[in-house]
Amino acid sequence: VSQSRYTAPNFISLDDQVLRYRFLIDVQGNGYSGRLKLLLGGPRLVFVQQRIPRDFLFESIKPWKHFVPIREDFSDLIDNYNTVVENPVLEESIIHSARSHSAKNLTPEAAIWRWAKLLNQFTTVGRIQQSRSLSNA
């Protein structure tokens, strides 16, 4: 089966995007995407469109530390772009912070730890509820 059947004529792989562009924009979609998690580990600054709902990643990353925020309507994109272009130290700092965060928190080991923590919370809540039920009986 030809690969061209499954890709658009102007398709650019994620790897090629990272190699080709200085800045990347992560745009909100209609479902789950792991793209932002991959982009934060790369050597490029990422602009992130505001979005709801947010997944677990947004509990630990901070605007202007790990990414450049942009409003949902993109109305501040040019201003935020200019801020970064005019301040290469800020650009490098954000890239470094994002990559460090990614290397520490977006690994298979970190995912397993997060699952274990969540499962422990659910079992703890279940035990508390069960204990309350038994003491009220």
Side-chain angles (χ1 to χ4, degrees):
V1 177
S2 168
Q3 183 182 6
S4 64
R5 234 180 110 185
Y6 298 103
T7 60
N10 59 349
F11 174 80
I12 302 172
S13 72
L14 187 59
D15 289 341
D16 288 340
Q17 291 174 43
V18 170
L19 292 173
R20 185 180 292 188
Y21 302 109
R22 177 176 172 188
F23 303 117
L24 300 167
I25 300 176
D26 190 65
V27 178
Q28 175 175 277
N30 291 322
Y32 175 80
S33 171
R35 182 175 188 268
L36 178 57
K37 294 161 190 70
L38 295 172
L39 294 178
L40 290 174
R44 301 289 182 248
L45 184 95
V46 182
F47 290 80
V48 177
Q49 181 189 28
Q50 287 179 336
R51 64 197 60 190
I52 297 173
R54 296 178 174 186
D55 69 17
F56 77 92
L57 178 63
F58 287 91
E59 296 171 5
S60 62
I61 60 173
K62 307 284 183 257
W64 295 105
K65 179 174 181 183
H66 302 105
F67 65 93
V68 176
I70 49 176
R71 292 185 188 121
E72 190 172 17
D73 65 1
F74 294 91
S75 60
D76 60 348
L77 177 59
I78 300 299
D79 289 339
N80 291 355
Y81 167 83
N82 287 332
T83 297
V84 172
V85 169
E86 293 166 4
N87 190 342
V89 173
L90 175 63
E91 179 182 353
E92 285 302 315
S93 173
I94 293 171
I95 292 169
H96 176 75
S97 293
R99 292 187 83 180
S100 295
H101 179 276
S102 180
K104 181 179 177 187
N105 299 294
L106 301 177
T107 64
E109 294 80 13
I112 291 167
W113 180 86
R114 182 163 177 78
W115 272 108
K117 183 178 173 185
L118 288 170
L119 291 171
N120 186 47
Q121 288 173 343
F122 285 124
T123 57
T124 301
V125 168
R127 277 188 249 129
I128 291 169
Q129 288 174 344
Q130 185 179 28
S131 174
R132 286 183 180 161
S133 296
L134 292 174
S135 65
N136 291 334

